[in-house]
């Protein structure tokens, strides 16, 4: 099994550009979440989904959109990139209350 | 996360020594999880604790949950260089398993 696959691994954007971070899982997990990790601030929840067609906001949702049309895919869209969105982004999935399986992350720099 | 306080923030130990990392919650816990992260990589799930007094072990790593104190400890026995990394605790605040919160992590360095 591939687990949770994130693409791209690295990305540089200019301020104002938009892009989509891809996330796919092949474990048929019901829950999927997006976190960002910043030095000194730990992991913060951006958006999450409890199943196909159902998404909700996390702690820091502004500037990001998500959708979940299938169980497998949970893309994160940056609408208009800002330097404050420079971070490492992690997608994670889980089934029930078992631990998360994390992707390897996307390092995003906004200049 | 201020909801989950980890201590210490960083730890340097000599190979072979034992160590303990603590995670204290300011809110009720529905589940406590420990993860390990190597630099530049994603988090790896280590173990899950759900009941007060519960204790789990994986190889030389043992985690315990004190429900009354809303605290968990992660203990590594006879540390090895392979144990080096960042250890994070995570917690579920309710039955919504999509909304875990995480501590800021403890960076462990093991000197050979």
């Amino acid at each position: 099994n591939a687990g949770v696959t994130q693409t791209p691994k690295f990305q540089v954007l200019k301020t104002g550009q938009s892009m989509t971070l891809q996330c796919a899982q092949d474990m048929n997990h019901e829950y999927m979440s997006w976190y960002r990790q910043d030095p000194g601030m730990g992991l913060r929840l951006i958006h999450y989904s409890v199943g196909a067609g159902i998404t909700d906001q996390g702690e820091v949702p502004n500037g990001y959109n998500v959708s979940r049309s299938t169980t497998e895919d949970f893309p994160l869209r940056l609408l208009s990139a800002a330097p404050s969105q420079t971070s490492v982004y992690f997608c994670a999935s889980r089934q029930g209350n078992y631990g998360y399986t994390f992707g390897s992350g996307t390092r995003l720099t906004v200049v | 996360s201020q909801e989950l306080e980890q201590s210490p923030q960083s730890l340097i130990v000599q190979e072979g020594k034992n160590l303990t990392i603590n995670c204290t919650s300011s809110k009720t816990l529905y589940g406590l999880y420990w993860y390990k992260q190597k630099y530049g990589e994603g988090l790896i799930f280590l173990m899950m604790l759900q009941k007060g007094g519960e204790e789990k072990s994986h190889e030389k790593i043992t985690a315990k949950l004190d429900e009354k104190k809303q605290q968990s400890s992660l203990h590594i026995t006879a540390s090895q260089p392979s144990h080096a990394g960042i250890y994070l605790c995570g917690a579920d605040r309710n039955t919504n398993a999509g909304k875990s919160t995480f501590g800021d992590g403890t960076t462990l360095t093991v000197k050979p």
Side-chain angles (χ1 to χ4, degrees):
Chain A
N1 284 342
V4 177
T5 302
Q6 287 184 240
T7 56
K9 290 192 182 301
F10 301 92
Q11 183 70 49
V12 178
L13 285 180
K14 292 183 179 179
T15 298
Q17 286 185 318
S18 62
M19 79 160 293
T20 299
L21 278 62
Q22 301 292 343
C23 176
Q25 53 100 359
D26 62 357
M27 299 168 285
N28 203 33
H29 285 174
E30 56 184 330
Y31 298 97
M32 295 187 76
S33 305
W34 275 102
Y35 289 89
R36 59 179 288 176
Q37 187 175 38
D38 302 288
M41 304 197 75
L43 281 163
R44 292 181 291 170
L45 181 65
I46 305 171
H47 285 285
Y48 67 98
S49 169
V50 301
I54 306 170
T55 63
D56 204 350
Q57 296 180 351
E59 183 184 358
V60 288
N62 292 340
Y64 308 94
N65 273 354
V66 291
S67 61
R68 190 150 176 221
S69 55
T70 67
T71 299
E72 295 78 19
D73 299 303
F74 191 44
L76 178 72
R77 297 182 189 84
L78 277 69
L79 308 173
S80 177
S84 61
Q85 293 179 305
T86 293
S87 186
V88 181
Y89 291 84
F90 288 102
C91 178
S93 72
R94 69 192 298 196
Q95 185 66 27
N97 60 0
Y98 200 64
Y100 274 115
T101 298
F102 278 82
S104 57
T106 296
R107 289 186 175 274
L108 176 68
T109 302
V110 182
V111 297
Chain B
S1 165
Q2 293 183 345
E3 292 184 11
L4 289 175
E5 292 284 343
Q6 285 189 237
S7 62
Q9 284 187 320
S10 63
L11 198 51
I12 302 173
V13 300
Q14 203 69 37
E15 182 177 356
K17 295 295 185 183
N18 302 337
L19 64 106
T20 299
I21 298 168
N22 292 305
C23 175
T24 303
S25 174
S26 61
K27 297 185 178 181
T28 302
L29 293 168
Y30 282 83
L32 192 290
Y33 305 80
W34 283 99
Y35 295 84
K36 180 185 176 183
Q37 183 179 28
K38 291 199 170 181
Y39 181 75
E41 299 179 11
L43 282 70
I44 302 297
F45 171 64
L46 295 176
M47 56 191 86
M48 167 178 73
L49 303 164
Q50 291 193 299
K51 299 176 184 177
E54 189 173 11
E55 179 175 323
K56 288 190 176 177
S57 294
H58 175 68
E59 298 179 343
K60 293 185 178 180
I61 302 176
T62 300
K64 300 179 185 179
L65 180 62
D66 184 331
E67 200 170 48
K68 280 187 178 179
K69 292 183 180 178
Q70 297 189 155
Q71 184 178 65
S72 177
S73 60
L74 185 83
H75 184 77
I76 298 177
T77 303
S79 58
Q80 301 168 359
S82 61
H83 287 129
I86 303 170
Y87 290 83
L88 295 94
C89 61
D92 292 333
R93 293 304 176 196
N94 49 43
T95 55
N96 187 337
K99 294 184 71 174
S100 287
T101 58
F102 290 84
D104 289 346
T106 295
T107 301
L108 172 64
T109 303
V110 180
K111 289 190 168 184

